[in-house]
Each structure stands twice: as structure tokens, then as C-alpha cells.
Amino acid sequence: MKRQSGPFMTIIFACAAALAAMIAPVFAPLPAAQAQGRTIRLVALGDSLSAGYNLPQEAAFPVALERALKAKGYKVEVANAGVSGDTSSGGLDRLDWSVPDGTDGVILELGANDMLRGLDPAGTRKNLEAIVERLKSRNIPVMLAGMYASRNLGPDYVQKFDSIYPDIAKKHDLVLYPFFLDGIVGEKSLNLPDGMHPTAKGVEIIVERILPSVESFLARLSQR
């Protein structure tokens, strides 16, 4: 319904809007982690993609993510539990010591090496779901960072592999970031000479793109 108003009311509304814009930043809610007054402890459980293969420690994904979150006001620590060459099976084997008690949440980034080795997607699915279920039994929520299969592996393999992550996320009600390497695949300047691992700049792009999903994950943690 259209509101009718004279010049005087127009001025009043304009002044009110300007005042609201001025005071909004003052009263805007703080990020959940900061408002809680305690540090949220995350673990990035993954392979070389998150471990920071051939990069300085400060350029690795967990450190870059922690830096970005802190810049937005979150009180958070992101531990690097990435192991180069690790498969989903390897992650499952080392799960208990890679994710210590007191962890508030896990960002699970595994499966790329399974795909590169052409391992049966059914095994990858089983391992990733076992990781999720074991962490849930410890009351540790999981965010899933997905992977896509290389298209040269054939449509049957691609369909079976690509469906792993959304299926597990739906079944267990997880925050899902569909493709960990989104934005850097095929970009030579964002990858090391091997064409598979991100450069420091590539990691920054990954962090920039995954950040909204991580914030959604943190919002869930704050409600626990």
C-alpha cells in the first residue's frame, strides 16, 4: 500500500533513516564466538590441500582461515590436522589423535587422494561417514568440505564420487561447502607448478570463498 506524505513528513523520515544508519554499527550484534567470550577451537582435518603443501606455515589454509575469522571479530583457533597424501582411510585411522578432546568443531577435507588414486567411491563414502559418525559420538560437529572427481575418470565414477559429499551432508545435517578448490582450478597463477596444490594466493581465494560456510558452521556451534 502506498503511503502518502507531505514535505514535512518526508524530511522526518529522511532524518530518521540517517540516524538509524549512524547508530546501526554501534548496536550491531557481535559475532557469536566473540559474544560468548571464549575461544572456539576448530580442527581442519584433511590432506595436502588444507595442510599447506610446499607453503610457509602462515600461508596454510588453517592459519589463513583463522586470520580471516579473527579479522571479522571471531575468537577462534584453527588447528592444522592436514597430512599430505592422506586418504579418507588414513584420516579415519588417525582420527582420535588428530582431533583432541575439547575440539568444538571439525572441518573435514578428505577424499581428493582417493579420487586421484581411482579408489572405489563406495570405500571413500564409508570412511567419510565413519569419521562423521565417530565425531558425532564424541559430540563434535562436522562441516564437510567437498571434492569433485576429475572428469577424465568417466561419468560413472564421477557420479558416484561427486554424490558422496552432498549425500553425507544431507543424511547428517552438516554444513557443506561443495568444492574445496572452487575458484582456483585451472588457474595457473593460483596453483603450484604441479597444477594441483594452491599457492599462497590460491589459499586466500579458497578462504574467501569458504568463509560464509564457516561462519554458518560457527553460528551452529554457538547454539549448542
Side-chain angles (χ1 to χ4, degrees):
M1 182 175 67
K2 185 176 180 181
R3 181 190 296 271
Q4 301 295 330
S5 60
F8 179 75
M9 290 304 296
T10 300
I11 294 173
I12 292 296
F13 288 141
C15 291
L19 180 60
M22 292 172 61
I23 66 175
V26 178
F27 294 101
L30 294 172
Q34 185 178 27
Q36 289 175 351
R38 70 178 185 87
T39 299
I40 300 298
R41 292 176 172 82
L42 302 179
V43 170
L45 180 67
D47 49 38
S48 57
L49 297 177
S50 58
Y53 175 78
N54 272 3
L55 296 178
Q57 181 179 354
E58 64 272 14
F61 170 75
V63 181
L65 177 61
E66 179 179 313
R67 190 163 53 239
L69 288 169
K70 285 182 174 178
K72 299 195 73 172
Y74 291 93
K75 296 180 65 175
V76 61
E77 294 177 358
V78 186
N80 189 342
V83 173
S84 293
D86 218 358
T87 61
S88 60
S89 176
L92 178 59
D93 289 342
R94 64 182 175 89
L95 179 61
D96 292 336
W97 60 264
S98 293
V99 182
D101 291 340
T103 297
D104 293 297
V106 168
I107 299 174
L108 178 57
E109 178 276 307
L110 282 170
N113 287 313
D114 299 53
M115 179 267 296
L116 290 173
R117 298 179 188 184
L119 300 181
D120 185 352
T124 303
R125 179 187 294 266
K126 181 179 179 181
N127 293 329
L128 291 176
E129 188 159 19
I131 291 173
V132 170
E133 290 175 343
R134 189 180 296 180
L135 289 171
K136 286 179 69 175
S137 72
R138 295 173 58 191
N139 200 32
I140 300 176
V142 178
M143 172 182 160
L144 200 54
M147 180 56 55
Y148 292 151
S150 176
R151 271 34 194 172
N152 63 8
L153 292 172
D156 184 60
Y157 190 97
V158 168
Q159 188 281 323
K160 289 179 179 177
F161 186 90
D162 287 4
S163 65
I164 292 172
Y165 300 90
D167 286 354
I168 293 177
K170 182 178 180 180
K171 180 177 179 179
H172 295 278
D173 189 27
L174 308 180
V175 173
L176 170 67
Y177 184 67
F179 184 37
F180 186 72
L181 297 178
D182 183 48
I184 73 166
V185 172
E187 298 291 338
K188 289 186 177 181
S189 64
L190 300 178
N191 287 275
L192 297 177
D194 63 16
M196 295 188 295
H197 295 92
T199 61
K201 177 60 177 177
V203 171
E204 293 295 335
I205 297 297
I206 291 172
V207 168
E208 177 184 330
R209 296 203 174 201
I210 201 174
L211 196 59
S213 297
V214 176
E215 289 191 272
S216 296
F217 185 49
L218 290 175
R220 287 195 181 191
L221 298 183
S222 71
Q223 297 169 3
R224 292 167 55 81

